[in-house]
């Protein structure tokens, strides 16, 4: 229901002037909130991506370190096996080099080769055509499930 007031012979709606200003202010506030929410979401996405990149870099560095250890072990084992072969002339002393060669080759490919690229390509194929492999054994937990688990954890401690 609108109140009408006569002002200098003209009919004027009281809510009209204030309502229009309030509507404009409300729309501006909504736009500001949407812009703020979008900026916050973009910052969160950038932060999550930065954390993901840091974790990936740590995993690659860990793989390279592991490769260096295995390569050193392989060098020592190869030296010992070759020395044993030279001394005994028995090819059985070279047998340990076969699996070690595969292990060092795999780790080297992962650390410095194209293994990570091949893994990313395969992951892309899985995401495109085998999404059912990514399903959780149970559905995603709800807020209620998480609250219940938290409550049970507090009760145990």
């Amino acid at each position: 229901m609108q109140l009408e007031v006569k002002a200098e012979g003209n009919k004027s709606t009281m809510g009209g002037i204030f309502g229009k200003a309030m509507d404009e202010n409300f729309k501006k506030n909504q736009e500001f909130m949407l812009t703020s929410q979008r900026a916050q979401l973009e910052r969160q996405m950038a932060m999550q991506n930065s954390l993901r990149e840091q974790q990936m870099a740590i995993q690659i560095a860990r793989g390279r370190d592991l490769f260096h250890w295995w390569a050193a072990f392989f060098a020592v084992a190869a030296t010992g096996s070759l020395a044993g072969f030279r001394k005994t002339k028995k090819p059985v002393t070279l047998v340990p080099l076969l699996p070690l060669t595969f292990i060092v080759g795999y780790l080297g490919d992962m650390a410095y080769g194209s293994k990570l690229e091949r893994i990313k390509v395969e992951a892309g194929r899985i995401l495109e055509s085998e999404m059912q492999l990514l399903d959780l054994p149970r559905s995603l937990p709800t807020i209620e499930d998480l609250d219940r688990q938290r409550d049970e954890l507090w009760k145990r401690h």
Side-chain angles (χ1 to χ4, degrees), residues 120-134:
K120 284 195 276 186
V121 168
E122 184 61 24
R125 272 192 228 120
I126 291 168
L127 288 170
E128 287 175 12
S129 60
E130 299 180 68
M131 283 295 290
Q132 74 278 4
L133 296 176
L134 306 177

Side-chain angles (χ1 to χ4, degrees), residues 3-72:
L3 296 175
E4 294 182 6
V5 177
K6 288 194 176 198
E8 297 183 29
N10 294 335
K11 273 191 169 183
S12 173
T13 306
M14 273 184 73
I17 296 170
F18 296 117
K20 190 174 185 180
M22 286 178 61
D23 283 346
E24 288 177 17
N25 196 18
F26 180 74
K27 285 180 185 177
K28 286 180 184 177
N29 193 27
Q30 267 188 322
E31 289 174 16
F32 173 75
M33 288 175 60
L34 287 173
T35 303
S36 295
Q37 288 174 348
R38 181 180 179 90
Q40 182 180 10
L41 181 60
E42 288 173 353
R43 281 192 299 273
Q44 286 176 349
M45 289 170 62
M47 181 182 68
Q48 286 178 344
N49 190 51
S50 176
L51 291 172
R52 181 193 63 81
E53 288 172 343
Q54 289 177 32
Q55 288 297 317
M56 290 283 296
I58 288 169
Q59 291 298 324
I60 292 168
R62 183 177 289 144
R64 289 181 178 176
D65 184 60
L66 183 63
F67 167 70
H68 294 146
W69 280 94
W70 273 98

Side-chain angles (χ1 to χ4, degrees), residues 4 17 38 40 44 52 68 73 82 91 94-95 98 107 111 114 122 139 149:
E4 294 182 6
I17 296 170
R38 181 180 179 90
Q40 182 180 10
Q44 286 176 349
R52 181 193 63 81
H68 294 146
F73 175 71
L82 290 172
L94 298 175
V95 171
L98 184 62
L107 292 173
S114 60
E122 184 61 24
S139 62
Q149 288 173 358

Side-chain angles (χ1 to χ4, degrees), residues 67-119:
F67 167 70
H68 294 146
W69 280 94
W70 273 98
F73 175 71
F74 179 78
V76 170
T79 303
S81 292
L82 290 172
F85 177 72
R86 286 182 74 193
K87 194 175 205 180
T88 65
K89 302 293 185 212
K90 293 182 181 178
V92 75
T93 58
L94 298 175
V95 171
L97 294 180
L98 184 62
L100 288 175
T101 302
F102 282 102
I103 292 170
V104 170
Y106 178 86
L107 292 173
D109 188 23
M110 179 71 88
Y112 293 103
S114 60
K115 181 98 177 133
L116 285 177
E117 286 301 319
R118 294 190 311 269
I119 289 172

